[in-house]
Structure formats: structure tokens, C-alpha cells
Amino acid sequence: MKHGEGVGPAGPQSECNIPAAGGDRRFAGTVTGVVLVGGCSSRMGANKALLSFGGERLLDRVVARVREAFPRVILVSNDPASYNYLGLPVIRDIYPGRGPLSGIHAALSAVATPYIFVVACDMPFVDPRLALYLARQAPGYDVVVVRDGPYLEPLFAVYGRGCLEPVESLLRKGLRSRVVDFFPAVRVKYIERWDLSGFAGVDKVFMNINTPRDLERALQFLE
């Protein structure tokens, strides 16, 4: 149920303190919230984004929570007609069929803000406080990502415009690369998972829904 991607040798350890609740809108305005609405949902057998979850569409739930942190929110999808009802900009992949990395590239190419916060549409337990906290770590770095042992959480992470050229270089090669494959070319700040214990519900923040069984389990967490 995790998007986490394994990595090679770990980068430098991070030192971070748990922030006070809430955040100022001026800082949040330097970040665009990006919800990736992609994938064929083959394991689910239906469009995950439009699944009912706790009385609302899964995508609507994710978008609402991202908007609590960042005033600007966009979607990345190659099927914009399905999501126009939200009234948000919908950006298409420039390099379609290359997975989440293509979505991150499309978002970075489209926004005017120096940073984007990226989350997948199938992660129902987005914590706006944690999203804003990660964004506050971004100045001086190109990526801010949570690390849990040998795994990273690249689909609940912050990316700066300095990522655009390295990402595009990978995509031009025509391969379906992992998100983390461009990390050696940029400045990455790793936030250790155990340093986030002060955030309520952090154990479920990184859950994602791929199968009917995942959905059933996530609904149990909701209850």
C-alpha cells in the first residue's frame, strides 16, 4: 500500500523539529499543490480518483486537504475532461506514459511558483500540516522527501524548479524511470520518518489505495 521507492546509499541525516500548528499564507503562496491523477487503476478495476471514500470522491478528499496547505492547486492528468468539475487547472503530461516522473515534470513546467508539493490522488490521509512543514524545509534544496529506512516517499514530497532539467534529461531518454532516479543530480533534504512522530496520524499519511483490499483497509482507518 505504499508508493515508497527504494534507494541506494542514504544521503545525509536530517535534523528537523516539529512545527507549531497552522502556517502563514504568504509562505504557502510560494508553493503550488500538485495532485497526480494518473495510472490505469488496473488492480482496482475502476478509476481510483473517483472512488467513493467516506462519503466523497477520493480525489475530492485529497484536493480539499492539499488546499488547506496551499492556495494554488493543480491536477496532472491525461484525461482532463473527467476532472474539470473541480474547477482546477488540469495539466497534461508532456512525456505521456512515463509514470509519476512525467507528472512531476509537467507540473514543474507549468507553474510559476519556485516549489511544488506533489501527492498522488490515491493517498486519502493527506496531512496539510505535514505538507506545509515539508515545504518549509525546501529553501536551499531541490527536493524534500521523507525517508523510512531504505525507502523514500516521492509522491508526498516537495520539488523545486532546479529539478526540471535533470528530470527532463531522464525523460528524453525514453525510459520509464523511477522518481528517485534523478535525485543524485540535485540537492535533496531527507526528512527521517521517525522525526515526524509529533504529527497525529502520520502512520497512515503514506498509505495509498491500489486494490479493493487496500480500499477496505483504508476505510477501517477512516472509521
Side-chain angles (χ1 to χ4, degrees):
M1 289 180 65
K2 296 184 70 178
H3 287 294
E5 294 186 0
V7 292
Q13 298 286 320
S14 66
E15 298 180 1
C16 50
N17 299 314
I18 301 304
D24 67 83
R25 305 298 282 179
R26 180 179 298 177
F27 173 78
T30 67
V31 183
T32 299
V34 176
V35 181
L36 301 183
V37 191
C40 59
S41 301
S42 57
R43 284 183 286 172
M44 179 61 68
N47 186 341
K48 291 187 292 185
L50 302 181
L51 286 175
S52 177
F53 190 88
E56 59 185 333
R57 293 184 180 98
L58 183 57
L59 175 60
D60 297 14
R61 176 185 174 89
V62 173
V63 166
R65 281 149 183 78
V66 173
R67 290 180 103 165
E68 289 182 35
F70 309 111
R72 297 183 183 89
V73 178
I74 67 172
L75 309 180
V76 178
S77 172
N78 292 321
D79 181 21
S82 295
Y83 311 111
N84 285 335
Y85 72 90
L86 283 167
L88 296 174
V90 184
I91 308 301
R92 290 179 177 270
D93 289 340
I94 299 171
Y95 294 90
R98 308 288 180 80
L101 188 62
S102 182
I104 292 170
H105 171 265
L108 286 170
S109 300
V111 304
T113 55
Y115 299 102
I116 60 174
F117 167 77
V118 171
V119 66
C121 72
D122 62 358
M123 300 177 73
F125 299 110
V126 174
D127 182 344
R129 290 178 66 247
L130 179 54
L132 189 55
Y133 172 67
L134 295 181
R136 283 179 170 152
Q137 314 308 308
Y141 295 91
D142 301 305
V143 177
V144 180
V145 65
V146 175
R147 179 168 56 188
D148 187 0
Y151 299 101
L152 300 180
E153 297 292 348
L155 298 189
F156 192 100
V158 179
Y159 299 91
R161 296 192 62 80
C163 298
L164 187 55
E165 186 174 336
V167 170
E168 185 157 355
S169 178
L170 270 180
L171 293 171
R172 283 177 176 169
K173 294 177 180 178
L175 303 175
R176 186 181 173 96
S177 302
R178 301 177 306 163
V179 173
V180 301
D181 286 346
F182 81 92
F183 283 12
V186 296
R187 302 166 297 172
V188 181
K189 182 164 187 176
Y190 297 96
I191 305 296
E192 303 300 340
R193 166 65 182 79
W194 61 73
D195 286 335
L196 302 177
S197 59
F199 287 93
V202 71
D203 289 335
K204 59 185 181 181
V205 165
F206 304 112
M207 291 176 60
N208 70 292
I209 297 173
N210 285 316
T211 66
R213 185 174 180 180
D214 291 345
L215 177 61
E216 182 180 343
R217 185 181 176 202
L219 287 169
Q220 291 174 351
F221 274 91
L222 183 64
E223 294 170 3

